[in-house]
Amino acid sequence: MFKYKTALSIIGLLAISCISFSFYLPNILEQGVSNDASTNALDTSPEARADSLLALMTLREKLGQLQQLDGGLSKNDLPTLIKEGKVGSVLNEVDTDLLEKYQRIALEESRHGIPLLIGRDVVHGFRTIFPIPLAQSATWNPRLVEEGARIAAVESKAVGINWTFAPMIDVARDPRWGRIAESPGEDPYLASIMGVANIRGFQGKNLSDSGSMAACVKHFAAYGMSEGGRDYNSANVGERHLREVYLRPFAAAVEADAASFMTSFNEINDVPATGNEFLLRGILKGEWNYDGMVVSDWESVKEMIAHGYCADEKAAALSAMRAGVDMEMTSTCMVDNLPALLTEKKIKLSQIDDAVKRILVLKYRLGLFENPYQRRELQAQVLSEDNLKAALRTAEQSMVLLKNENAILPLKDDLKSMAVIGPMADAPYEQLGTWIFDGKEKDSVTPLNALKKALADKTEVNYAQGLKISRTKTREGFPAAIAAAEKSDIVLFFVGEEAILSGEAHSRAHLNLPGIQEELLAELGKTGKPIVMIVMAGRPLILTDLLPQVSAVLYAWHPGTMAGPAITNLLTGKVNPSGKLPVTFPRAVGQIPVYHAHKNTGRPANADNWVHIDDIPVKAWQTSLGNTSHYLDVGFTPLFPFGFGLSYTDFTYGDLQLDQTKMQKNGRIIASVKVTNTGEVIGREIVQLYIRDKFGSVTRPVRELKGFEEFTLKPGESTTVLFEITEEKLAFFNADMKLSAEAGEFTLWIGGHAATSSSVDFVCE
Ligand code: BGC
């Protein structure tokens, strides 16, 4: 009723065209009704409560809800702005007392008592820092990922943060891009599973539970496709590829009821994502019927001017609102310009109302009207022993053993001495990785400390940093490092990248170990001592030339607070490594992008006709070497395939079985394989299912991940892994851009990584 009246009054006002804009704008802004919220009873739905509240709000108050401000930048003005109802959300403030004060002003002093959404980038933990998201994907264990997100939510709620800007579910295939560290990796299926696990963890069963917070999936969309791995850069992508690769985790997030979406900084096919009507109103809010809210990225509304898409802030506000942005992060284009745009009939009041309603609904769903403050009762859980144990388990399962020559690992029980060398061995801050606003290095347990604690009574630990940080370029520390190696039986060499070398705006063109770490490795190699290299990094680094110089490689990523104990448990064999790569490791930067689900081309590369550049005869005839899709210098295979990871035990795969080789379109095939632990220690295996549709109305990738199972087997134990193949697993966006399966021939692989050779064919009729 109120809504109807309000609408009528506004239409009336707009009709008075002879009155100048500046004269009647304040009237529009203050146009409101009573502040009687008696209809807003607790037992009605969030939607109904939002509707009745909306009907009481002036335009100025509505616009206030659309504005998110930075707590740091706006500290002095915030109390007044909140009181006047000009702020819907605050980000980047973690002072509990201040947050409580802000919420109190919002609830008790603003006209409608609307609480604030308090946003924060809680990306891989709040105080208990878990491995970076890319590493979490390497666990292939959604239960652990969900648990980690839950812990992050509980720790955040303890200080009053109710909304995280996570999970980031941008599929990333370019390790030059610094934000690959925050991503779930290269595969849309794995990314969907990990995204959903995170959403479940953050949001819990009920958004209003004390330990739940709203998730925000980001960045919508194709941010991971940034040209050349340069952050913020353009994505030029065909619609099918966009839908199948980059949008797929977001579609899964809608199904999982993600509370909010964040737009991305990049442009997609020449239109910035924040002003992209096709994406936001078309696909997200239209086709997928998403009823949550959409926040812009930091100033990404205003940045549409720099993109060359909008001439000024008014045009940017128009684009964002038309496209379907509900809340603007930090820039103020919308709040400043929507009244004029409304007056000029460029936007409709119903568009503003829709945006406000989505925000209010979220606030009701979160229970903020009833419980807006920090949950003090959760404080005891911050950095609790249980939380640290969960971070430890995740770190252990995330690390990937890439090489283990002559089973040099696990370290032998009777090892007399070891050298611990390298800039990452005792770097409590660096092991935490990117996006750890609230993580503290004092809480970190470093590998050096953990190794000493675990082994010092029986093994001499000779520590020498060698290089102060990963980028150090002086050889000052070399002699001590070499001396430590010389007096030890084995060298544990901790290398990698500092945290700041990955993450937002931290792309790299060279992906070797920074500084002179590789020179130090060469010097250590001269001692003749076996070297175990532990790499702590935010992305795949190029290891091609380093592999022959070391006996073993443990890829530890940035493992978080519990890096030290996790690495120690793996090196000593207390825990068997089981992580598998969520991203293909290239041989050289020039090979990027390299990923498992590529196309075959008309001239697929093959081992029979590839000749290394150095072996090409002088003046060889141009076509004598076979014209296939490869590099003369690095070939056509990656250094390590997607899904790869070694173990201290062996898993033997039996023959692949299909219950039938012909499937009706609405039928199913059961594929199975027996996996046996034929080694000597207990281990966790991640069995992966890949399928290729051999011919289609459009071409299909050479292999696509379609499922995986992870389980633990004792020595001698077997299990039969079953995968159900249904039409849904075979579906793709066909020539008419419809998601459906096509009849035809398929190949199916089940194995321990994406290059497994064990396959069978089947037919779908
Ligand atoms: C990032 C977002 C982040 C936001 C708020 C932006 O620069 O792209 O991922 O959530 O800042 O901190």
Side-chain angles (χ1 to χ4, degrees):
M1 177 64 174
F2 278 129
K3 205 173 164 189
Y4 179 57
K5 270 197 204 159
T6 314
L8 278 186
S9 334
I10 287 178
I11 292 164
L13 271 174
L14 296 179
I16 314 170
S17 52
C18 55
I19 302 178
S20 82
F21 168 74
S22 59
F23 178 77
Y24 71 77
L25 193 54
N27 290 343
I28 296 184
L29 285 170
E30 302 314 335
Q31 180 80 34
V33 243
S34 80
N35 57 0
D36 170 12
S38 55
T39 49
N40 212 356
L42 247 174
D43 56 358
T44 43
S45 69
E47 289 73 19
R49 293 178 80 189
D51 276 336
S52 44
L53 177 53
L54 191 62
L56 305 175
M57 294 168 73
T58 62
L59 179 59
R60 192 192 293 285
E61 287 163 342
K62 289 177 183 175
L63 295 178
Q65 289 304 306
L66 310 189
Q67 184 65 54
Q68 180 178 59
L69 290 176
D70 178 75
L73 298 179
S74 339
K75 212 167 234 129
N76 295 335
D77 306 326
L78 266 178
T80 314
L81 293 170
I82 297 170
K83 188 170 169 180
E84 291 172 353
K86 290 181 177 162
V87 193
S89 171
V90 171
L91 84 158
N92 287 345
E93 181 54 73
V94 279
D95 179 325
T96 312
D97 296 335
L98 210 48
L99 287 177
E100 185 164 333
K101 176 178 156 189
Y102 292 161
Q103 286 291 32
R104 211 167 282 290
I105 298 175
L107 259 98
E108 294 171 11
E109 298 179 32
S110 77
R111 198 165 78 100
H112 296 296
I114 306 175
L116 297 162
L117 288 168
I118 307 290
R120 184 74 164 167
D121 291 278
V122 183
V123 174
H124 52 114
F126 184 68
R127 282 293 303 279
T128 306
I129 299 298
F130 283 72
I132 52 168
L134 184 62
Q136 291 195 36
S137 251
T139 66
W140 297 60
N141 187 340
R143 292 183 313 282
L144 276 188
V145 171
E146 180 174 341
E147 181 186 34
R150 189 70 193 160
I151 288 168
V154 166
E155 293 192 351
S156 308
K157 285 294 282 291
V159 302
I161 295 159
N162 50 44
W163 184 22
T164 175
F165 304 127
M168 191 261 231
I169 48 175
D170 296 312
V171 169
R173 294 177 165 179
D174 192 331
R176 290 171 296 184
W177 191 45
R179 299 198 84 166
I180 195 170
E182 286 174 62
S183 91
E186 77 179 37
D187 185 80
Y189 178 79
L190 186 59
S192 305
I193 304 269
M194 292 306 169
V196 169
N198 267 296
I199 294 163
R200 287 204 185 119
F202 287 129
Q203 300 193 166
K205 287 208 170 58
N206 197 329
L207 263 185
S208 63
D209 290 345
S210 69
S212 295
M213 73 197 305
C216 182
V217 291
K218 64 189 190 184
H219 305 84
F220 199 60
Y223 187 31
M225 216 198 163
S226 300
E227 205 169 84
R230 289 184 293 279
D231 209 356
Y232 315 125
N233 226 291
S234 313
N236 283 299
V237 52
E239 186 177 337
R240 179 168 303 99
H241 196 61
L242 177 69
R243 286 178 180 274
E244 290 184 354
V245 178
Y246 296 97
L247 297 190
R248 184 152 163 212
F250 289 97
V254 171
E255 293 291 313
D257 210 13
S260 62
F261 267 59
M262 186 187 292
T263 64
S264 54
F265 283 128
N266 55 293
E267 55 183 68
I268 301 161
N269 300 335
D270 312 320
V271 177
T274 303
N276 204 310
E277 223 173 322
F278 167 71
L279 267 186
L280 299 176
R281 283 214 195 277
I283 296 181
L284 178 61
K285 292 183 172 177
E287 204 178 296
W288 296 348
N289 212 9
Y290 180 62
D291 61 1
M293 65 161 283
V294 177
V295 64
S296 76
D297 201 347
W298 184 282
E299 296 210 340
S300 68
V301 176
K302 190 167 157 189
E303 287 178 11
M304 288 197 281
I305 301 171
H307 271 285
Y309 187 63
C310 300
D312 52 24
E313 294 195 9
K314 188 173 173 189
L318 176 61
S319 280
M321 181 46 51
R322 265 195 191 147
V325 171
D326 301 313
M327 181 179 273
E328 181 172 355
M329 189 187 286
T330 59
S331 52
T332 59
C333 306
M334 300 214 306
V335 70
D336 293 342
N337 294 287
L338 290 182
L341 291 165
L342 193 60
T343 311
E344 292 162 21
K345 297 193 177 158
K346 298 227 170 88
I347 58 157
K348 298 193 189 105
L349 184 62
S350 59
Q351 286 173 306
I352 295 179
D353 281 351
D354 176 62
V356 179
K357 182 172 171 185
R358 288 167 185 266
I359 293 160
L360 294 178
V361 167
L362 178 55
K363 292 181 175 183
Y364 281 117
R365 286 182 68 203
L366 279 165
L368 292 182
F369 285 81
E370 293 75 41
N371 282 305
Y373 305 115
Q374 64 168 128
R375 298 298 191 121
R376 284 178 204 280
E377 72 277 14
L378 301 176
Q379 260 166 11
Q381 291 185 47
V382 176
L383 279 171
S384 68
E385 206 176 305
D386 282 351
N387 291 3
L388 292 172
K389 272 192 195 145
L392 171 64
R393 268 195 304 276
T394 311
E396 286 166 351
Q397 292 199 10
S398 72
M399 296 179 189
V400 186
L401 184 65
L402 293 175
K403 177 173 181 181
N404 192 18
E405 203 172 60
N406 302 325
I408 188 157
L409 290 176
L411 298 172
K412 305 299 165 271
D413 272 350
D414 57 357
L415 186 67
K416 295 273 173 320
S417 59
M418 63 166 74
V420 174
I421 297 173
M424 301 299 281
D426 193 26
Y429 180 78
E430 309 308 342
Q431 71 184 40
L432 298 178
T434 186
W435 285 114
I436 44 108
F437 283 171
D438 304 288
K440 308 259 182 291
E441 62 176 294
K442 71 176 173 54
D443 301 326
S444 289
V445 188
T446 66
L448 177 65
N449 287 335
L451 282 162
K452 276 188 180 160
K453 193 169 164 206
L455 302 172
D457 53 344
K458 52 176 184 162
T459 311
E460 185 186 309
V461 177
N462 300 311
Y463 173 59
Q465 205 179 20
L467 294 160
K468 273 205 164 52
I469 57 168
S470 68
R471 286 169 292 163
T472 298
K473 290 207 180 82
T474 97
R475 288 178 150 238
E476 264 165 27
F478 278 27
I482 293 160
E486 268 164 354
K487 63 177 177 188
S488 306
D489 295 331
I490 193 168
V491 175
L492 303 185
F493 188 36
F494 288 84
V495 296
E497 293 178 315
E498 297 147 67
I500 193 62
L501 300 187
S502 59
E504 184 174 348
H506 291 93
S507 298
R508 293 181 61 205
H510 295 290
L511 295 181
N512 52 329
L513 292 174
I516 53 170
Q517 297 177 86
E518 295 180 8
E519 286 179 31
L520 179 54
L521 176 63
E523 294 301 328
L524 294 173
K526 290 181 192 160
T527 66
K529 299 296 166 94
I531 299 174
V532 173
M533 185 166 81
I534 299 97
V535 187
M536 293 160 89
R539 52 160 70 81
L541 294 173
I542 303 295
L543 306 176
T544 314
D545 296 339
L546 311 183
L547 282 180
Q549 302 177 50
V550 298
S551 303
V553 178
L554 181 69
Y555 214 84
W557 318 99
H558 285 140
T561 308
M562 297 301 277
I567 290 173
T568 302
N569 288 347
L570 295 174
L571 294 180
T572 57
K574 190 170 170 199
V575 176
N576 188 351
S578 62
K580 300 238 184 185
L581 297 178
V583 59
T584 305
F585 270 45
R587 291 180 189 275
V589 169
Q591 208 181 9
I592 297 168
V594 53
Y595 50 92
H596 72 282
H598 62 86
K599 294 295 186 70
N600 206 32
T601 80
R603 295 186 178 190
N606 65 66
D608 297 339
N609 62 21
W610 177 72
V611 178
H612 188 272
I613 190 164
D614 295 340
D615 299 330
I616 299 173
V618 179
K619 296 190 181 168
W621 180 243
Q622 186 176 328
T623 54
S624 62
L625 298 170
N627 292 353
T628 66
S629 184
H630 58 234
Y631 294 100
L632 292 176
D633 39 12
V634 297
F636 51 90
T637 56
L639 188 61
F640 294 108
F642 174 80
F644 178 82
L646 300 171
S647 164
Y648 295 154
T649 194
D650 295 310
F651 293 103
T652 307
Y653 284 69
D655 287 341
L656 234 169
Q657 313 274 350
L658 298 184
D659 66 341
Q660 50 182 331
T661 50
K662 273 199 184 126
M663 169 182 156
Q664 298 307 310
K665 255 228 180 145
N666 53 4
R668 55 165 213 179
I669 287 182
I670 303 290
S672 61
V673 70
K674 188 170 165 194
V675 182
T676 307
N677 180 345
T678 48
E680 278 156 28
V681 289
I682 186 165
R684 186 176 73 105
E685 174 64 327
I686 298 153
V687 174
Q688 302 152 43
L689 166 75
Y690 296 89
I691 294 183
R692 177 174 181 187
D693 187 339
K694 290 198 195 167
F695 310 98
S697 59
V698 292
T699 63
R700 304 302 304 150
V702 293
R703 281 181 199 200
E704 290 177 282
L705 179 70
K706 294 289 182 176
F708 63 88
E709 290 290 334
E710 51 100 32
F711 49 83
T712 299
L713 292 179
K714 296 196 191 100
E717 209 181 351
S718 300
T719 190
T720 299
V721 187
L722 305 176
F723 290 104
E724 188 185 50
I725 318 298
T726 55
E727 195 179 330
E728 189 219 324
K729 280 216 186 309
L730 307 181
F732 61 95
F733 285 90
N734 65 17
D736 302 324
M737 213 56 86
K738 297 261 170 350
L739 186 63
S740 86
E742 289 178 357
E745 294 169 30
F746 296 81
T747 304
L748 176 153
W749 295 259
I750 299 180
H753 54 76
T756 183
S757 53
S758 161
S759 71
V760 283
D761 285 358
F762 68 93
V763 169
C764 176
E765 294 186 321

